[in-house]
Amino acid sequence: MYPPLVQAMLDPSFYPHEVEKVELVETHISWVFLTGLYAYKVKKAVDYGFLDFTTLAKRKFFVKEELRLNRRLSPEVYLGMVEIRENEGRFSLEGEGETVEVALKMRELKRDWRLDLLLKERLLTPQVMELLGRRIALFHQEAANDPYISSFGEPEKVMVNIKENFDQTEQFIDLTIPRTWYDLLKDYSFGFLRDQRDLFFKRVREGFVREGHGDLHTENIYWDGEKLYILDCIEFNERFRYQDNASDVAFLTMDLEAKGFEKESWRFLNSYLEISGDFALLKLLKFYKIYRAYVRGKIESFKLTVDQEAKGRACNYFEMAFNYLKIKRNPFLLATCGLIGSGKTTLAKELASRLGAILVRSDSIRKLSLGLRPSEHRFEPFGEGIYSSGITERTYKLMIEIAREVIKDGYPVILDGSFSKKWQRNLVRELGSELQVPYLFLYTKCPYELLLERLKERQDISDGRPEILDDQIKAFEIPDELPQEFLLEVDTQKPFDYEVLAGKIKERFL
């Protein structure tokens, strides 16, 4: 039997707007009433240690926090706080009487818009995952950061969350997680925090610990065909949202992989890196993916007494965390080569998502290195301004430095640029020899008329356009110095099977 207030809110006549029926969604911390046009969330008067909603004053505070935090990403969804009043035993929304409860009023979104469901039905284009990566990267750049928030990235404070995980799951050893996995994951997590102290403090100093989302997974993301809505930031515990940006990124990439959407995970990650330039987060990605998978396993374990299927889900998440320990990639190096409009970026993105490679784009690195946003266009004359020979040389050398670090971190790399000069291609060859990793140039080619057509329609961070094509053709040095085994010509004039090409590269490199 529900409490009287909940029973009242299940009655369509309770609401000041037209409601045909009310659907209730209950979690361990709230009731959510779906009325068709609006959703109303009421927090339960519970205390779980990591959250405390036991008084009306506390519930008011956290509803206001939920509004503040979620309006950063979806202001059109989070509409306000409404008071629930009681008068002579009758409840009403902001009617007569004493305020006995508060509710968060939201625009109700269609369930069919939920990202995990759209992915399952294959209803999303790759561009949506790229848009999501850009959105989260900009969100992190704009999120609050001060000395107090930053302190949560220090290893001692990160350890609080890690230790809590293992303390709270001891009771589930050999029930949802084998003792061997528990011990190995605990040793790895504690050891990483101990051995990488300098890395954690470096991330703090460089401003990568922010007031993030804290619960960034596909069930909290919606797409209506035109716009993304990102919901349910963690409001009830600051140590779950004051975190390294890598933790948010790790949560979503892990969640996508857990649901079988690995290509989409790489799309999101590479789009995030393109805008943020934060390739250093890759050093923390495995650590935080293990943490996030383990948290999900823990939460599912908590449900064992009320949900018969929870055990299977918990075991799967713990197995995923354990499997992250075992992943060993074989790094390799791909670089595009070709004229603007020849399909280099499309090819690089498609291969990166299929090969599990990190994409490093010259268009992004050039602008980030100058303090510009990658999306900011600078339509300079050919070879001038930010496209002068000096800045171009610095850009390509910086791409090589990034690739060096990423490969050392154990990831394959795809360098997306024109690589129109022999000296630029030599940088790739030298890096491959230095690190003793296989490398290959992808030389994209198509007719002149098609180049012009693509450049006219282009919507991308690139500043490539028809006016500079002829100048680039004159300056382009054909890659005839490359031995045949290090060069693969790709005719992009007509559609081709990216899976087949990715398979050929895997056979060669892996």
Side-chain angles (χ1 to χ4, degrees), residues 9 77 79 145 187 220 262 312 368 386 401 403-404 463 479 502:
M9 295 185 72
V77 174
L79 304 178
N145 166 259
D187 289 347
N220 283 340
E262 192 162 348
L368 287 170
I386 72 170
E401 288 304 310
R404 177 181 285 109
D463 293 331

Side-chain angles (χ1 to χ4, degrees), residues 373-441:
R373 284 194 169 185
S375 57
E376 183 177 338
H377 286 294
R378 291 295 181 94
F379 296 126
E380 315 273 13
F382 184 80
E384 297 181 20
I386 72 170
Y387 294 93
S388 66
S389 58
I391 292 177
T392 295
E393 180 178 356
R394 187 179 72 174
T395 298
Y396 276 81
K397 287 182 176 178
L398 184 53
M399 290 173 69
I400 294 296
E401 288 304 310
I402 292 169
R404 177 181 285 109
E405 287 302 308
V406 172
I407 289 171
K408 286 180 178 178
D409 290 334
Y411 294 88
V413 171
I414 300 179
L415 296 170
D416 173 29
S418 292
F419 285 91
S420 60
K421 302 293 185 183
K422 181 178 178 180
W423 69 263
Q424 296 167 355
R425 299 188 288 267
N426 282 342
L427 292 175
V428 176
R429 302 176 70 183
E430 290 164 6
L431 181 62
S433 298
E434 173 196 335
L435 299 182
Q436 296 187 318
V437 296
Y439 64 90
L440 179 70
F441 286 89

